[in-house]
């Protein structure tokens, strides 16, 4: 068997195992429960899930989607979540390997990022929150990975690749990578690339937050509209973009924010058009599911902006 296929299967299995853990994260974290205790039980009868009932995807199939004790159905969302992360992990692996220029260590950060973004999208869609546990742990992991595997960051490995977005990070990276010993300079540049991403995310969405809040305040006063929200976006959204900046660098922040807003706008227009009676202009929509579209596209394919550019550029014969 071809070695790449073998590693691809390994990537899928890793993703399915991580997906199984992320199912627990998606359920427990927004409910303020511990990830370690108590052990998983059937929500209907309290039957404790035994190890062989906890094998990703396979156990659900063997049990035919039912609890082994009370025979109540187990949600299809569990195996679906495991398959989704498995496919994502496989796609990230496939992209990095076929790129030829990206080192294998890129996969680690992108795997973490993809799993975190998918979980945030699910949690935000179901509960309307973006837990700090996911965003903070992601940002910290990104900085640690930058120190350990500096070449795992495209800004270091492929500083001139515009498709990966390197307009903003290039000057900083080229300036710092020459400092002192090469090994020290490269690590410094990689960490700076991550911190620059966090800073830009906070600056971009932070200013949008203050501006939007002032505008909403003016609206409330002028139109005596007490239904208008007080905040234009949540702090969780800002932290989510900061995590993306930590993993992917400053340039990615700009493209992912614009991409998420674009997807949100399109979905919003479709929903408004389909709604027969307006249920209020101010109905809030979670941002993470929209943000996940360009964010996951970024790690499995590349910059959505250049993808659009390629799609609408006529190909020469
Ligand atoms: Zn049960």
């Amino acid at each position: 068997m071809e070695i790449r296929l073998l590693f691809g299967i390994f990537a899928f299995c890793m993703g399915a195992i991580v997906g199984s853990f992320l199912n627990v994260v998606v359920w427990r974290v927004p409910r303020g429960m511990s990830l370690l205790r108590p052990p998983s039980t059937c929500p209907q009868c309290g039957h404790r899930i035994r190890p062989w009932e906890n094998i990703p995807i396979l156990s659900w199939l063997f049990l035919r989607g039912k609890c082994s004790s009370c025979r109540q159905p187990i949600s299809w969302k569990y195996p679906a979540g495991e398959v989704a992360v498995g496919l994502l992990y496989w796609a990230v692996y496939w992209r990095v390997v076929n790129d030829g220029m990206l080192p294998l260590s890129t996969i680690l950060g992108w795997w973490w990022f993809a799993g975190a973004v998918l979980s945030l999208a699910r949690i935000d869609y179901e509960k309307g929150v973006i837990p700090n546990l996911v965003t903070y742990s992601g940002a910290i992991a990104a900085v640690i990975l930058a120190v350990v595997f500096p070449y795992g960051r495209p800004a270091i490995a492929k500083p001139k690749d515009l498709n990966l977005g390197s307009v903003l990070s290039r000057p900083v990276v080229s300036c710092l990578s020459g400092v002192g010993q090469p090994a020290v300079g490269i690590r410094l540049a990689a960490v700076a690339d991550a911190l620059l991403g966090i800073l830009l995310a906070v600056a971009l969405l932070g200013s949008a937050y203050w501006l939007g809040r002032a505008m909403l305040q003016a609206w409330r006063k002028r139109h005596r509209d007490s239904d208008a929200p007080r905040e234009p976006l949540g702090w969780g959204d800002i932290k989510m973009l900061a995590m993306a900046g930590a993993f992917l660098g400053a340039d990615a922040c700009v493209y992912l924010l614009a991409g998420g807003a674009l997807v949100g706008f399109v979905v919003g227009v479709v929903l408004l058009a389909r709604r027969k009676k307006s249920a209020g202009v101010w109905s809030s929509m979670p941002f993470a599911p929209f943000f996940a579209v360009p964010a996951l596209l970024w790690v499995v394919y590349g910059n959505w902006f250049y993808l659009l550019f390629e799609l609408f550029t006529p190909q020469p014969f």
Side-chain angles (χ1 to χ4, degrees):
M1 208 192 297
E2 205 198 338
I3 193 83
R4 278 191 180 186
L5 185 64
L6 206 65
F7 277 112
I9 293 168
F10 171 75
F12 179 85
C13 293
M14 280 295 291
I17 293 167
V18 172
S20 176
F21 170 70
L22 291 178
N23 280 337
V24 180
V25 170
V26 167
W27 177 263
R28 289 192 179 185
V29 170
R31 289 170 177 81
M33 295 160 73
S34 160
L35 284 176
L36 303 172
R37 255 179 285 237
S40 299
T41 54
C42 166
Q44 269 96 11
C45 70
H47 162 73
R48 192 159 151 186
I49 311 291
R50 284 165 289 193
W52 68 268
E53 292 170 334
N54 214 2
I55 304 163
I57 307 165
L58 297 178
S59 287
W60 191 85
L61 292 175
F62 282 136
L63 294 165
R64 293 199 195 86
K66 288 181 189 127
C67 168
S68 69
S69 175
C70 68
R71 300 262 124 216
Q72 290 290 312
I74 305 167
S75 172
W76 58 270
K77 284 181 186 173
Y78 290 100
E82 288 154 1
V83 170
V85 182
L87 288 176
L88 263 178
Y89 270 37
W90 171 81
V92 166
Y93 159 78
W94 200 246
R95 183 203 166 179
V96 171
V97 165
N98 284 314
D99 182 273
M101 288 287 287
L102 286 169
L104 283 178
S105 52
T106 309
I107 293 173
L108 293 174
W110 285 5
W111 272 1
W112 191 308
F113 178 69
V117 165
L118 191 70
S119 305
L120 288 177
R122 288 176 64 188
I123 296 171
D124 199 14
Y125 180 76
E126 283 172 12
K127 290 276 164 190
V129 289
I130 293 181
N132 288 339
L133 186 70
V134 181
T135 51
Y136 287 176
S137 63
I140 292 167
V143 173
I144 293 172
L145 281 170
V147 177
V148 182
F149 298 112
Y151 284 100
R153 301 187 71 83
I156 307 288
K158 297 177 81 177
K160 285 183 181 151
D161 193 335
L162 283 176
N163 191 31
L164 288 161
S166 54
V167 183
L168 296 171
S169 50
R170 201 191 296 167
V172 176
V173 169
S174 62
C175 178
L176 283 174
S177 54
V179 173
Q181 287 175 307
V184 175
I186 287 294
R187 275 168 227 279
L188 211 61
V191 172
D193 181 45
L195 296 181
L196 201 67
I198 296 175
L199 265 177
L200 189 74
V202 173
L204 269 178
L205 274 187
S207 48
Y209 176 86
W210 294 116
L211 191 72
R213 211 173 73 142
M215 284 165 70
L216 285 170
Q217 215 163 16
W219 174 279
R220 293 165 71 88
K221 258 193 192 159
R222 197 160 170 201
H223 297 270
R224 295 199 175 80
D225 180 1
S226 55
D227 290 339
R230 291 181 181 278
E231 298 185 319
L233 64 147
W235 278 103
D237 298 324
I238 302 179
K239 292 165 187 171
M240 178 172 63
L241 190 69
M243 182 193 76
F247 276 112
L248 308 175
D251 294 81
C253 279
V254 182
Y255 291 112
L256 296 191
L257 184 58
L262 191 69
V263 176
F265 177 75
V266 171
V267 172
V269 167
V270 170
L271 285 180
L272 268 179
R274 284 182 54 178
R275 189 181 289 156
K276 291 187 183 86
K277 233 179 173 184
S278 177
V281 193
W282 297 113
S283 63
S284 68
M285 287 200 293
F287 181 59
F290 305 139
F291 179 78
V293 176
L296 297 178
L297 194 67
W298 186 283
V299 288
V300 302
Y301 191 87
N303 192 337
W304 66 271
F305 183 77
Y306 287 92
L307 179 67
L308 280 187
F309 197 68
E310 275 168 32
L311 281 177
F312 292 111
T313 306
Q315 297 294 317
F317 290 107

